[in-house]
Amino acid sequence: MVRVVERSDVQRCLDGYRATGETIGFVPTMGALHEGHLSLIKAAKSQTDRVAVSIFVNPLQFNNPADFDKYPVQLEQDAKLLQDAGCDLLFTPTVQVMYPNEVTKSYDFGMLENTMEGEFRPGHFNGVAVVVKAFFDIVKPDFAFFGEKDYQQLSIIRQLVRQENIPVEIVACPTIREENGLALSSRNLRLTNEQRKAAACIYDTFKYASDHIKSMPVEALTKQCIDMINKVPGFEVEYFVIADERSLQPLRKIETGARAFVAVYAGEVRLIDNMALNI
Ligand code: AMP
């Protein structure tokens, strides 16, 4: 595995692969890698000839500075995992490399960005779009792999690719969970053992929603789900929305493509998750 920091080194390495007709798969991450990330790398390896991974904790997408400061960093451990996973190129740029000039770009993703994460984390998706566009310009991947764990982000990136006419195919990968249903996340490293166990309430609530979506009005079901999580000590729902998975707009009545989305505080740690409901 080649490990580089500069844009020119990424391009030189990948141009070498492209010169022999090889396809490039790209997996952008913020590091503190876990099995969720590794599943994306596995998918990339199975669909492309070469796999490039970036690790960059993108300051532009953190609306909360404390969250940025506490974001776990473990580069050496990550590099070892990537080497073992068969990654070809690891790109670990600095902020200066990613943003040599002041960033002024402001995207408009319409209704996709005004709900849920977009509503509660102002500026977040603009920061995500800026960094993903910058990475696509550098890496020029044939395929890029993203997790459904961050479903709204995935929708925004598909929209970014359409709006900006970027020649890349976006591949969505399913959410990897712990045995108790908790979605793997780098932020889980900040949970206590007790919080980690109690966080099973999120997936339990999704299953409850899926089991009851056909028999309960959406509004009553939503309220019930919020109560189920809020009654767990130390857990507080920021939003719980049953929405259409294409438009991301809240549903008033059930339709195919209904998906439950949640943001929950477990103590100080903010967790997000989503799941397709069984219509
Ligand atoms: P992050 O490092 O959190 O920015 O995530 C990098 C990529 O990994 C994103 O496309 C995430 O959606 C994806 N990802 C994070 N957690 C999971 C998970 N539990 N299962 C599948 N993909 C994930």
Side-chain angles (χ1 to χ4, degrees), residues 68-277:
F68 176 70
D69 291 341
K70 288 185 189 153
Y71 203 85
V73 175
Q74 44 187 52
L75 208 46
E76 294 314 310
Q77 191 177 320
D78 288 348
K80 167 103 185 40
L81 283 172
L82 290 172
Q83 171 86 51
D84 293 348
C87 165
D88 295 287
L89 177 88
L90 169 58
F91 179 34
T92 56
T94 59
V95 172
Q96 181 60 31
V97 165
M98 284 313 283
Y99 306 127
N101 305 308
E102 194 194 347
V103 177
T104 51
K105 180 77 186 166
S106 175
Y107 289 98
D108 180 0
F109 298 114
M111 64 183 177
L112 292 181
E113 69 176 342
N114 294 328
T115 60
M116 303 189 287
E117 292 303 282
E119 182 180 347
F120 287 93
R121 300 185 69 188
H124 169 65
F125 285 128
N126 203 64
V128 169
V130 166
V131 80
V132 170
K133 172 74 166 67
F135 273 127
F136 283 170
D137 287 345
I138 300 167
V139 175
K140 300 186 180 65
D142 300 287
F143 299 85
F145 298 78
F146 292 87
E148 287 186 344
K149 155 79 169 53
D150 300 284
Y151 196 92
Q152 191 173 11
Q153 168 175 283
L154 178 63
S155 305
I156 295 272
I157 287 162
R158 287 191 192 284
Q159 182 63 23
L160 171 75
V161 165
R162 275 193 295 269
Q163 273 176 216
E164 301 289 313
N165 268 318
I166 306 171
V168 60
E169 186 170 323
I170 303 300
V171 182
C173 301
T175 302
I176 306 297
R177 300 178 179 281
E178 289 188 5
E179 222 166 279
N180 72 358
L182 172 63
L184 298 189
S185 164
S186 307
R187 288 188 173 82
N188 295 357
L189 289 171
R190 294 175 52 208
L191 298 174
T192 63
N193 280 341
E194 258 182 23
Q195 285 172 324
R196 203 179 261 251
K197 274 190 212 140
C201 67
I202 299 171
Y203 189 62
D204 290 345
T205 303
F206 282 160
K207 280 191 297 191
Y208 181 89
S210 203
D211 290 344
H212 291 80
I213 183 81
K214 287 191 200 140
S215 58
M216 276 176 83
V218 174
E219 202 182 321
L221 179 59
T222 301
K223 187 172 175 312
Q224 176 101 29
C225 289
I226 293 171
D227 290 347
M228 282 172 68
I229 297 173
N230 280 345
K231 78 170 197 298
V232 178
F235 281 65
E236 198 179 342
V237 170
E238 185 169 62
Y239 65 76
F240 186 104
V241 179
I242 295 175
D244 177 277
E245 65 183 14
R246 291 151 300 229
S247 70
L248 302 184
Q249 300 309 296
L251 287 173
R252 285 165 202 274
K253 55 180 178 47
I254 59 160
E255 276 169 35
T256 52
R259 188 173 274 268
F261 296 84
V262 75
V264 183
Y265 277 94
E268 284 185 354
V269 184
R270 187 174 182 277
L271 303 174
I272 61 166
D273 200 352
N274 69 88
M275 194 178 95
L277 301 182

